[in-house]
Amino acid sequence: MRLSAMGDVAMTVPVLRAFVKQYPTVKLTVISRPFFKPFFEGIPNLEFFAFDEKEKHKGFLGLLRLFKDVKKLKIDAFADLHNVLRSKIVSLLFALSGKKRATVDKGREGKKELTREENKIFKQLPTMFERHVKVFEELGFPLDLSKPAFPEKAVLSSDVLDIIGNENQKLIGIAPFAQYDSKVYPLDLMKEVIEKLAENSSYKILLFGGGKKEIEILDSLAQPFENVINMAGKIKFQQELQLISNLDVMLSMDSGNAHIAAMLGVKVVTLWGATHPYAGFLPFNQSLENALTSDRNQYPQLPTSVYGNKVVEGYEDAMRTILPQQVVDKLTEQLL
């Protein structure tokens, strides 16, 4: 599962929540991979349609099949919030059948200007949420995101409570990984952050990640401390979402976990390496002050990439300019 895909899908959720609140008589159908179904549970007037990329909806013939399947649901308009080849094909099929359609503009030109070495234009670009709103506007549904609606904190199952305990502590989530190394805070510095936080017994620190290698690293980070718990590999994805909804704050890289916490109404502190929130990926409803970025005086070419997939020589240590104490201070500030 691509983490960026997870972030992409999570970023649509606050916009769709606003839509159903502002247009209660309009029915939405979300087409996405089955894995993402839990993101949309509990949203009224929203139906989830599982996209089977491996078999039924694979290839061009599969996309024709998808179009026919979705068409049966009497769709009036098609909003393409992804703007990739597959979604463009389905969108075109709807247009050819006489339906209204609109596609998200990912602002590729502005992102090139923000990340290029020479003549960089360092300015805030529209956020993905603003871009999604524009799609619905084009379809005749203007949206206001200024009063966001979030789900209630989930009731935690006994399985989860058995792992984290039921003490009355502040819950701090930490998701220290990202899809690309250029977005990952150095492990020795993350250890320092965890050590400093763990000194406060009124905090419980929960570590998130996935995959064998990440689980081993998280185990080693949690092991020395009583109030630090590695959650990776211990609970199902749906339970993880429920747990994240109960956090007091989440510390994340520029990654899917930041967007998941934000869509659930949790405060998020983000750390940025090769990327920058100006590209439009600051988590929903979060302050720019809570996005700690690498020092551009020392590393003037930052941001060097929109997604973190470009390696620039000499920039490997850019994130070391974000000091562990800065991170701890920012987190504790959120807990006051």
Side-chain angles (χ1 to χ4, degrees):
M1 183 58 58
R2 279 195 318 118
L3 275 183
S4 58
M6 199 182 280
D8 290 342
V9 179
M11 281 188 281
T12 67
V13 175
V15 179
L16 299 182
R17 280 189 182 279
F19 186 101
V20 298
K21 200 175 165 193
Q22 289 163 48
Y23 299 99
T25 60
V26 180
K27 187 185 162 198
L28 291 177
T29 300
V30 169
I31 306 166
S32 193
R33 296 185 185 111
F35 181 83
F36 295 124
K37 192 179 181 187
F39 282 8
F40 302 95
E41 273 167 19
I43 301 179
N45 279 351
L46 186 148
E47 189 180 322
F48 185 86
F49 185 96
F51 168 62
D52 180 2
E53 65 180 324
K54 298 234 164 40
E55 287 178 24
K56 192 179 181 190
H57 303 130
K58 189 180 178 183
F60 182 69
L61 290 177
L63 291 178
L64 284 175
R65 215 170 287 132
L66 173 67
F67 166 66
K68 283 176 183 162
D69 289 346
V70 176
K71 203 178 168 205
K72 286 175 196 159
L73 304 173
K74 299 190 172 127
I75 301 292
D76 295 302
F78 188 84
D80 178 3
L81 300 181
H82 203 26
N83 194 353
V84 294
L85 185 60
R86 281 192 294 217
S87 63
K88 281 178 185 173
I89 290 168
V90 178
S91 175
L92 179 64
L93 291 169
F94 272 105
L96 292 172
S97 73
K99 303 296 179 190
K100 272 179 119 176
R101 55 122 180 213
T103 300
V104 69
D105 170 14
K106 289 189 169 174
R108 291 188 174 96
E109 201 47 52
K111 287 172 182 171
K112 268 186 204 158
E113 292 169 352
L114 178 69
T115 55
R116 67 192 178 196
E117 269 178 63
E118 304 290 318
N119 306 316
K120 185 186 286 291
I121 300 175
F122 184 67
K123 66 170 188 185
Q124 175 71 61
L125 297 175
T127 68
M128 278 313 292
F129 311 102
E130 289 165 339
R131 294 184 189 280
H132 289 154
V133 164
K134 222 165 181 179
V135 174
F136 287 110
E137 250 170 40
E138 274 180 49
L139 295 173
F141 299 97
L143 285 177
D144 176 10
L145 297 185
S146 66
K147 296 188 183 90
F150 297 108
E152 296 288 316
K153 286 185 179 189
V155 176
L156 295 176
S157 65
S158 54
D159 296 3
V160 176
L161 291 172
D162 286 347
I163 299 168
I164 71 165
N166 210 356
E167 301 94 345
N168 190 18
Q169 290 164 298
K170 295 277 189 189
L171 295 181
I172 301 172
I174 298 182
F177 303 109
Q179 193 180 3
Y180 298 107
D181 289 345
S182 68
K183 301 202 288 187
V184 177
Y185 196 52
L187 201 58
D188 59 315
L189 301 187
M190 186 54 83
K191 263 185 189 164
E192 268 188 66
V193 169
I194 291 169
E195 267 168 34
K196 287 174 193 280
L197 291 170
E199 284 168 12
N200 189 329
S201 60
S202 69
Y203 297 162
K204 178 147 283 176
I205 298 117
L206 307 173
L207 308 180
F208 295 90
K212 194 166 177 264
K213 192 184 165 201
E214 288 186 9
I215 290 171
E216 282 170 14
I217 294 169
L218 294 176
D219 276 337
S220 71
L221 288 172
Q223 198 268 324
F225 310 102
E226 230 173 273
N227 57 339
V228 181
I229 300 167
N230 172 20
M231 298 307 301
K234 291 182 183 166
I235 55 176
K236 296 188 181 87
F237 182 56
Q238 182 131 25
Q239 291 174 311
E240 196 170 300
L241 294 181
Q242 290 165 352
L243 179 54
I244 290 172
S245 82
N246 280 268
L247 296 177
D248 292 286
V249 65
M250 168 70 99
L251 171 66
S252 174
M253 308 303 108
D254 166 22
S255 74
N257 279 294
H259 298 295
I260 289 171
M263 80 177 190
L264 295 169
V266 173
K267 291 176 186 173
V268 186
V269 172
T270 43
L271 307 183
W272 302 73
T275 60
H276 195 280
Y278 275 12
F281 297 107
L282 184 73
F284 183 69
N285 202 40
Q286 304 295 322
S287 143
L288 203 52
E289 287 167 17
N290 287 354
L292 302 179
T293 56
S294 302
D295 187 348
R296 292 191 68 247
N297 292 323
Q298 221 169 312
Y299 295 96
Q301 282 180 35
L302 290 174
T304 55
S305 166
V306 174
Y307 303 109
N309 51 345
K310 186 181 165 196
V311 179
V312 174
E313 207 178 317
Y315 275 57
E316 299 82 2
D317 288 337
M319 278 187 108
R320 289 190 174 276
T321 60
I322 305 170
L323 303 179
Q325 192 59 52
Q326 267 179 288
V327 180
V328 172
D329 290 347
K330 188 55 76 176
L331 287 167
T332 46
E333 197 182 287
Q334 308 310 305
L335 297 169
L336 297 176

